[in-house]
């Protein structure tokens, strides 16, 4: 039966001190708190162990009182000899998954963001946001170490909010919507790529953009069929490699082309509307222009945030690691690489393109041949990243339907048919969303404001305070060390930032969409017209 998690009556708290005092537990600090490894000390649980849903077998109940390490060892032992094993990823393969998640098409929205924010503030905000994501991801990792039965962010949502059923359902709905919207983004982008190659509208394809999007969704569904992240990690490595080539070519082409696409040396107007078109030498600004509005500036920052915030998938990745203590190694590698790639690509393409010729994604600012060449290397990522999020969603549903069933770990007709059907439903929904919100940058902003507010900020600020309380430091004011004050204040800011994303960010995104429709710069829902760059 599919449903919410229940709580185990047992406790998995850290061992008490010899004196019997259970008031304070020294969780990892120093090197291991930041970089993991075998010396990482696991703190106390914040709540009793959750069991996936009512009606589970005796194996789940027998875990009462086991330590986190014992639960992990039991999970590995139960999978031993099975045809399909989940806890098989090394930290290197997890790093490949992380890098393939972050090194994606959305990188090419950074030049557009910098055109509104200015080069210097844009780069600073990129670095600051990356470091905040790094910190909150480490908080998430520590939470998963304390609760190794956690398989996804929905389990975490229920535990964070005192094992309330509404918390699980709320998180589950947000989780599935977030993943479906990201799948939709890649259906939209796949159609945009094919239309870019075609070069405009053609009579050879009936209802052009909708038909191409449907074909992209079917291909993505077929590519989603592998059932473990261990298999997907190989595809992820190839995806990240081709994405790197794509953005590298974009930077090179932006530097060597004589001028950006649609360049005009003299002022010109659109003959159809009479509006002035971009003209003159590219304008590059170090700080925001005075004409930048709150809506434009915040949408630009939300685009950056969307690309950097990916914590929603991390519990699923950690749940398939052979040694979860090694997760920070993968996280640090990915964070360092993404800061380097994002700032160089965003800054360089913006510097050569300027404000007035900028598009999102920035491939559209390149001359036609260069645009098609650079964009073509993005094909693996267009498919793979949607596949990754589809797999996370399908795994969430599948593991709950077939928990404690042989269909979970064996190659059965029922298991594979159910897996394929769940994936198909996610891709059908993604196809509908992609054709309902047919614009790239605004869809990124909407994803960021609605979902990243919780999964990028609020959840992990709350997790920090819940873990501190479990370890015996229940409030900001009782830990008077410099680190205690700093981290307490930082997590309050993180929670408030999430609240601002949800309120101010959603307002700015919706207003931006309204402005785009009024200006006629985006297509209509389920439009057959080409959406190519």
């Amino acid at each position: 039966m599919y449903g919410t998690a229940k709580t185990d009556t047992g406790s998995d708290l850290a061992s008490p001190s010899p004196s019997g005092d259970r008031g304070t537990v020294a969780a990892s600090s120093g090197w291991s708190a930041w970089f993991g490894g075998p010396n990482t000390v696991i703190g106390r649980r914040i709540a009793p162990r959750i069991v996936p849903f009512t009606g589970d077998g005796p194996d789940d109940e027998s875990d009462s009182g086991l330590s986190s390490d014992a639960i992990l060892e039991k999970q590995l032992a139960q999978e031993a000899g099975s045809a399909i094993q989940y806890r098989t990823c090394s930290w290197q393969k997890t790093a490949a998954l992380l890098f393939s998640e972050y090194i994606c098409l959305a990188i090419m929205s950074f030049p557009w963001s910098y055109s509104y924010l200015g080069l210097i503030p844009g780069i600073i905000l990129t670095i600051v946001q990356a470091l905040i994501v790094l910190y909150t991801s480490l908080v998430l990792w520590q939470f998963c170490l304390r609760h190794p039965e956690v398989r996804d962010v929905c389990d975490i949502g229920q535990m964070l909010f005192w094992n309330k059923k509404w918390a699980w359902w709320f998180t589950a709905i947000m989780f599935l919507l977030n993943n479906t919207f990201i799948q939709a983004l890649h259906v939209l982008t796949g159609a945009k790529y094919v239309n870019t190659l075609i070069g405009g509208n053609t009579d050879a394809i009936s209802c052009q953009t909708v038909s191409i999007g449907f074909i992209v969704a079917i291909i993505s569904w077929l590519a989603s069929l592998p059932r473990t992240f261990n298999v997907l990690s190989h595809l992820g490595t190839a995806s990240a490699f081709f994405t790197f080539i794509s953005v590298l070519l974009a930077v090179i082409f932006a530097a060597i082309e004589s001028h950006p696409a649609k360049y005009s040396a003299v002022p010109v107007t659109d003959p159809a509307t009479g509006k002035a078109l971009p003209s003159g030498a590219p304008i590059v600004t170090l700080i925001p222009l005075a004409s930048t509005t709150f809506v434009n500036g915040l949408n630009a920052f939300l685009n950056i945030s969307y690309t950097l915030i990916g914590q929603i998938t991390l519990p699923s990745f950690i749940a398939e690691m052979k040694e979860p203590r090694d997760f920070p190694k993968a996280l640090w590698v990915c964070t360092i690489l993404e800061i380097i790639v994002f700032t160089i690509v965003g800054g360089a393409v913006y510097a050569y393109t300027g404000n007035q010729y900028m598009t999102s994604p920035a491939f559209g600012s390149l001359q036609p041949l260069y645009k098609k060449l650079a964009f073509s290397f993005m094909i693996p990522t267009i498919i793979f990243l949607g596949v990754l999020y589809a797999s996370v969603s399908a795994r969430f549903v599948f593991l709950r339907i077939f928990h404690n069933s042989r269909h979970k770990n064996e190659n059965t007709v029922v298991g594979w048919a159910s897996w394929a059907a769940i994936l198909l439903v996610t891709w059908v929904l993604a196809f509908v969303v992609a054709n309902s919100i047919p614009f790239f940058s605004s869809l990124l902003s909407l994803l960021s404001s609605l979902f990243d507010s919780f999964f990028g900020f609020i959840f992990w600020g709350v997790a920090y305070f819940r873990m501190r309380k479990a370890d015996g430091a229940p409030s900001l004011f009782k830990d008077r060390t410099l680190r205690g004050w700093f981290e307490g204040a930082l997590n309050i800011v993180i929670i408030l930032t999430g609240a601002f994303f949800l309120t101010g960010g959603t307002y700015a995104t919706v207003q931006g969409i309204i402005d785009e429709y009024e200006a006629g710069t985006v297509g209509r829902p389920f439009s057959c017209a080409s959406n190519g760059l």
Side-chain angles (χ1 to χ4, degrees), residues 167-179:
W168 189 92
W169 283 108
F170 173 78
T171 309
I173 292 170
M174 297 287 284
F175 174 72
L176 292 173
L177 282 174
N178 175 83
N179 294 354

Side-chain angles (χ1 to χ4, degrees), residues 369-386:
L369 177 60
Y370 292 154
K371 171 176 61 182
K372 293 176 181 180
L373 285 173
F375 206 174
S376 293
F377 279 91
M378 196 63 75
I379 295 174
T381 298
I382 292 173
I383 299 299
F384 173 77
L385 198 54

Side-chain angles (χ1 to χ4, degrees), residues 105-106 108-110 112-113 116 185 188-189 192 295-296 298-304 306-307 358-362 437-449 508-510 512-513 516 521-522 533:
L105 178 65
M108 297 307 291
S109 72
F110 275 63
W112 178 85
S113 294
Y116 281 104
L185 178 65
L188 171 66
T189 306
K192 188 181 290 287
V295 170
N296 290 336
L298 188 51
N299 276 326
F301 178 56
L302 288 171
N303 268 242
I304 292 173
Y306 163 78
T307 311
M358 186 58 65
T359 64
S360 180
I437 311 177
F439 27 79
F440 183 79
S441 61
S442 292
L443 186 53
L444 293 184
S445 297
L446 188 62
L447 284 166
S448 189
S449 61
T509 300
V510 172
I513 292 172
E516 286 182 303
T521 57
V522 295
L533 295 174

Side-chain angles (χ1 to χ4, degrees), residues 48 52 54 60 88 234 286 309 354 368 457 467-468 516:
T54 305
D60 293 304
T88 54
H234 300 295
L286 296 181
I309 292 173
F457 297 97
M467 288 191 291
R468 281 192 64 185
E516 286 182 303

Side-chain angles (χ1 to χ4, degrees), residues 179-180 183 220-221 224 384-396 419 422-423 426-427:
N179 294 354
T180 302
Q183 290 174 246
S220 299
W221 171 63
S224 305
F384 173 77
L385 198 54
V387 164
L388 180 62
Y389 279 89
S391 182
V392 170
S393 291
R395 182 173 280 96
F396 165 73
W419 175 256
I422 294 167
L423 284 168
T426 69
W427 282 111

